[in-house]
Each structure stands twice: as C-alpha cells, then as structure tokens.
Amino acid sequence: MKPLHEQEVESAKQAVSEAGREPGNFDFAVAFMEPDPDGGGMFTVRYEVTVTNGETGRSASYIGGIGLDWLGAFAEDLNAGDYD
C-alpha cells in the first residue's frame, strides 16, 4: 500500500484531469515537516505540499497529514482559477 501522501497526490492529479486540465502541467512537491514538540508523545506525520502549474507559474502550499484535507482546499483553489 502506498503512503498517504502518494495516494493524495494521485487523487490531486485526478482532480486536475477532472477539471479539464493536463495533470502533467502540475508539479506536486512534498516536504515532510518536523514533529510537533508539544504533541504529547503522539507522532503524527505532517507534510507541506506545494502545487505549481508549470504553464502559469502559479503555486500554493497546503498542509497534509492524517485528519487534514489539503485536497479539498486544492480543489477549491483549482476550480476558483487560482492556478490559471
């Protein structure tokens, strides 16, 4: 089974395709974040996903991890034309 971040990137590419755009024009860079020192012993992986439309140069960053919905925010931005 693929890690969560890889599954989410695949879903994001599918959202790009469903929006009538070319997934190959979008770059999804994932950078893992340091664990929260105040997490009370709980280690939850979080990562920053920076999405860039290679054609327009527009990009935005989102925070992903268990319980976080960066895909929803990305889909809203994509449909609002933020990457055009």
Side-chain angles (χ1 to χ4, degrees):
M1 181 174 207
K2 290 184 180 182
L4 178 62
H5 68 280
E6 289 181 14
Q7 294 174 39
E8 290 176 337
V9 167
E10 287 180 8
S11 295
K13 289 179 181 180
Q14 182 65 34
V16 169
S17 181
E18 289 172 0
R21 300 189 175 124
E22 177 57 47
N25 292 337
F26 286 77
D27 179 60
F28 298 86
V30 178
F32 289 91
M33 302 169 73
E34 292 293 322
D36 181 1
D38 298 324
M42 297 293 291
F43 178 72
T44 302
V45 175
R46 290 192 179 201
Y47 39 89
E48 179 179 39
V49 182
T50 302
V51 182
T52 304
N53 180 338
E55 286 192 313
T56 65
R58 291 186 172 213
S59 67
S61 295
Y62 308 92
I63 303 299
I66 295 173
L68 300 173
D69 182 23
W70 74 267
L71 287 168
F74 168 66
E76 286 180 22
D77 293 348
L78 181 66
N79 292 326
D82 292 356
Y83 288 92
D84 297 338

